[in-house]
Amino acid sequence: MTLRSTASRRARAALTPALSLLFVGSLLAVGTVPAQSATGAAPSAAGSATAASEATASETIVPASTADLPWTTCANEGADAFDCATIEVPSDYDRPRGRTSTVAVTRLPALDQENRIGSVLVNFGGPGGEGVSTLHAIGEVLFDASVRERFDIVSFDPRAVGLSDPATCFATQEAEQEFLASSLALPLTRAENARFLGEAAALGTACTVFGGDRIATASTANVARDMDVLRQRLGDDELTYVGYSYGTLLGATYAALFPDNVRALVLDGTVDPRAWTGPADGELFGTRLRQAEAGTETYGEFVRLCAEAGERCALNALGDPAEVVEDVYAALKEEPVEIPLGDGTTVEVGYADVVAQVFFSMYGTAGWPNLAALLAELAVLTDVVPSSAAQTLDHGPSLRELLRRLGLLEDYASVGGGLASLCVDGDFPGRPSTYPRKVAALDEQYPHFGLFRGWVGVHCEFVAAQDEDAYTGPWEQTTQQPVLVIGTRFDPATHYGFTAPYAALWPDARMLTVEGWGHTTVGVSTCADAAIGRYLVMLEADDGAVCQQDLVPFAPGTLRDDARPTLPAPRVPVLPGTAAVVDAGR
């Protein structure tokens, strides 16, 4: 571990932090269930485990005690079916008898304990995605029934995140909220570029001062080492794992460090680890992730399918959907709009807010009709279309209801956990002054989303913390067990083009393509659910398999509220723009 040296205003303060977080943390979470805050789901009981490791690619971590975890009843409401526990792991595995970090864990016991195979460990993405609260929200419907029968489903808050000794950037949550509420969401002018860089520097410095000790041990490699301790504490000889989005980077890191400890890996929504860890060679982190490209392609499908949906997509009542949205963007660049909340307060919504909302709403297609309805309402509020056009929208949800459904009025979440792993894992250009020019070029190539995703990682330029134990390759895997790699054709967060190269890193990868839209397969395809279930239970999977999405966006079935599980989109850090307001992204 190394450390280098008004009513409208009040409502805005509740909204802006959530949107600002998008520029600071969780890049690759999934879905639409907002994560709870760290105070919302505290597991009780303390466990202890001391681990030792060798700094080699095939290291083995053996805790002093492999006794069962000290499971207790979870403290938060609505988690009666789950157990909770904590374990202690070395903060720095090079110093196994030194300072420890607390990792919060939860499980949903298998329904058929007599025929139980073991535990399946789940990571929902990020970095910065909370595992405990997310599993509580969707764990009972996350997998095919065969998995629910035969496995304990387990998740955890990675170190520095949520309930696991979170990395904080300010002395109090109130101070963090105040800073984020007064910060720019995205810069649109040369003067705003300078201000945005100054605010990024201030936040990076604050995270170093208040959370640098935790950030400096929060590499994905250390999270993987924690997983191996947890695997042993769970009593499993080998790891069975499902990782979504950023969780595919964690899976690749675990397999690189512990190639002989793998039973099964489901890697859904892949991130090329070589793009994540660099070298940067002067290229923006956001460019390497290809999210601007992926978002642009998925958005093209959004407006195409909307136009084909007729009255099932609200934008069609106002004109060509693509043209209406472009006009809304242009109007919001000129001036934000004040949206009345019905209690005498208003919330200000600007260009950056809406671009972020569009990007993260594309994570789950069930919400696309709501997104179209919100954009249609904004077209009226910004005078893009005559006020008389509002009459055509009266039959839909209220504006406040749309804001609630899309997460714009969700509770605040912290940013430090999302920055932690990202900043110590990733490689960045190293010259913040070059960002405005490079972001502008990316935005020219991918309008709106280039601006939104190009700034990803800029805060890390100012986080003066390094983790000497971070793993940055090689990424060619030696695990002999077959792994299941999954990609969705139009995924706005993890470009489908990464799927085949990621699969090629493994000796025996079975690649599954979902012909559909959105981020990862959670709640999307019964065909994919069955394939995942078959693989986890039977260790069988077909290479080159293709599954269809169950519901096409804007089809009649998507007009109702869909009870299927969805992972939380980035509620916290998504760097200039990435963790989680809408949803995970996550």
Side-chain angles (χ1 to χ4, degrees):
M1 151 175 106
T2 302
L3 285 176
R4 301 192 305 262
S5 308
T6 73
S8 175
R9 180 180 178 85
R10 287 196 300 271
R12 179 66 174 174
L15 170 64
T16 301
L19 289 165
S20 298
L21 295 176
L22 302 180
F23 305 102
V24 196
S26 302
L27 290 160
L28 300 167
V30 267
T32 60
V33 176
Q36 300 175 13
S37 66
T39 59
S44 56
S48 63
T50 303
S53 68
E54 296 178 357
T56 67
S58 59
E59 58 190 306
T60 300
I61 297 173
V62 182
S65 170
T66 57
D68 289 343
L69 285 163
W71 297 112
T72 64
T73 301
C74 298
N76 55 304
E77 186 177 352
D80 296 344
F82 297 82
D83 301 318
C84 285
T86 59
I87 62 173
E88 297 296 319
V89 295
S91 296
D92 184 347
Y93 280 92
D94 293 330
R95 299 174 177 84
R97 301 185 185 280
R99 183 168 60 89
T100 64
S101 296
T102 300
V103 174
V105 187
T106 191
R107 75 171 175 183
L108 180 64
L111 293 174
D112 185 357
Q113 287 291 317
E114 290 187 3
N115 296 299
R116 173 182 171 275
I117 295 173
S119 302
V120 55
L121 193 59
V122 184
N123 178 274
F124 294 108
E130 297 178 11
V132 173
S133 62
T134 304
L135 192 69
H136 290 171
I138 64 175
E140 293 185 82
V141 290
L142 179 59
F143 293 119
D144 183 81
S146 61
V147 179
R148 182 75 179 85
E149 289 282 334
R150 305 291 300 277
F151 287 93
D152 294 343
I153 302 173
V154 179
S155 193
F156 65 104
D157 286 354
R159 56 169 64 204
V161 173
L163 302 170
S164 298
D165 291 346
T168 57
C169 297
F170 293 84
T172 65
Q173 178 174 300
E174 182 180 2
E176 184 170 305
Q177 288 177 314
E178 184 176 344
F179 175 87
L180 294 172
S182 64
S183 299
L184 280 174
L186 275 178
L188 301 179
T189 66
R190 178 174 296 185
E192 288 183 349
N193 284 337
R195 175 184 165 186
F196 191 80
L197 285 171
E199 290 171 347
L203 182 60
T205 300
C207 292
T208 303
V209 170
F210 289 98
D213 58 333
R214 291 176 174 176
I215 293 174
T217 61
S219 64
T220 299
N222 274 341
V223 177
R225 295 177 180 108
D226 296 344
M227 283 208 313
D228 202 59
V229 173
L230 181 55
R231 171 191 65 79
Q232 295 170 76
R233 296 294 301 276
L234 290 168
D236 291 338
D237 294 333
E238 296 174 315
L239 178 73
T240 300
Y241 172 80
V242 177
Y244 300 100
S245 200
Y246 161 80
T248 67
L249 177 73
L250 177 56
T253 303
Y254 181 92
L257 295 174
F258 309 102
D260 298 328
N261 294 355
V262 171
R263 174 187 175 271
L265 302 177
V266 175
L267 305 158
D268 185 353
T270 55
V271 180
D272 189 331
R274 297 162 296 189
W276 189 278
T277 58
D281 292 332
E283 189 175 42
L284 295 173
F285 187 75
T287 300
R288 300 201 307 272
L289 290 186
R290 299 179 68 180
Q291 288 187 326
E293 178 184 356
T296 299
E297 292 175 358
T298 306
Y299 176 72
E301 289 294 288
F302 169 80
V303 293
R304 180 183 70 82
L305 291 167
C306 172
E308 293 177 358
E311 64 180 13
R312 296 192 301 276
C313 180
L315 284 166
N316 287 314
L318 308 180
D320 178 82
E323 293 180 4
V324 172
V325 177
E326 285 300 318
D327 289 342
V328 169
Y329 284 153
L332 291 173
K333 280 185 177 181
E334 292 294 325
E335 184 178 7
V337 295
E338 295 281 346
I339 296 178
L341 297 181
D343 59 357
T345 65
T346 62
V347 60
E348 184 181 90
V349 174
Y351 169 76
D353 303 326
V354 174
V355 173
Q357 192 64 50
V358 170
F359 183 83
F360 290 121
S361 290
M362 293 191 300
Y363 276 40
T365 59
W368 286 16
N370 288 330
L371 174 62
L374 176 62
L375 292 169
E377 293 280 2
L378 289 171
V380 175
L381 288 172
T382 55
D383 296 324
V384 163
V385 297
S387 58
S388 59
Q391 298 176 6
T392 67
L393 307 175
D394 287 344
H395 64 281
S398 70
L399 182 55
R400 289 194 300 278
E401 175 60 22
L402 289 169
L403 292 174
R404 283 192 290 269
R405 289 185 185 184
L406 293 171
L408 276 168
L409 298 181
E410 287 301 331
D411 294 334
Y412 165 79
S414 183
V415 303
L419 282 174
S421 295
L422 175 70
C423 292
V424 296
D425 284 342
D427 194 25
F428 306 94
R431 296 180 61 193
S433 62
T434 66
Y435 275 68
R437 173 176 54 81
K438 293 178 178 180
V439 171
L442 189 64
D443 194 54
E444 181 73 20
Q445 186 176 9
Y446 303 108
H448 315 303
F449 301 115
L451 175 67
F452 183 53
R453 305 317 292 161
W455 286 101
V456 169
V458 67
H459 300 80
C460 293
E461 302 280 9
F462 305 100
V463 173
Q466 294 177 319
D467 188 343
E468 295 169 345
D469 295 323
Y471 184 81
T472 59
W475 292 107
E476 289 72 19
Q477 302 288 340
T478 61
T479 293
Q480 295 304 308
Q481 288 291 99
V483 302
L484 179 59
V485 176
I486 306 173
T488 299
R489 183 72 65 179
F490 292 99
D491 184 327
T494 50
H495 195 283
Y496 178 74
F498 282 137
T499 311
Y502 182 96
L505 295 172
W506 303 83
D508 186 4
R510 316 291 172 84
M511 182 171 154
L512 167 65
T513 295
V514 175
E515 291 291 352
W517 310 263
H519 187 37
T520 79
T521 63
V522 175
V524 164
S525 168
T526 51
C527 168
D529 291 345
I532 292 170
R534 174 183 170 223
Y535 170 71
L536 290 175
V537 175
M538 306 296 294
L539 298 178
E540 296 176 353
D542 300 322
D543 189 29
V546 176
C547 282
Q548 301 297 319
Q549 186 165 316
D550 293 343
L551 298 176
V552 174
F554 301 108
T558 62
L559 294 177
R560 58 176 170 74
D561 288 334
D562 201 312
R564 299 175 184 218
T566 51
L567 297 182
R571 245 207 122 295
V572 288
V574 201
L575 291 212
T578 109
V581 168
V582 149
D583 212 59
R586 236 248 43 328

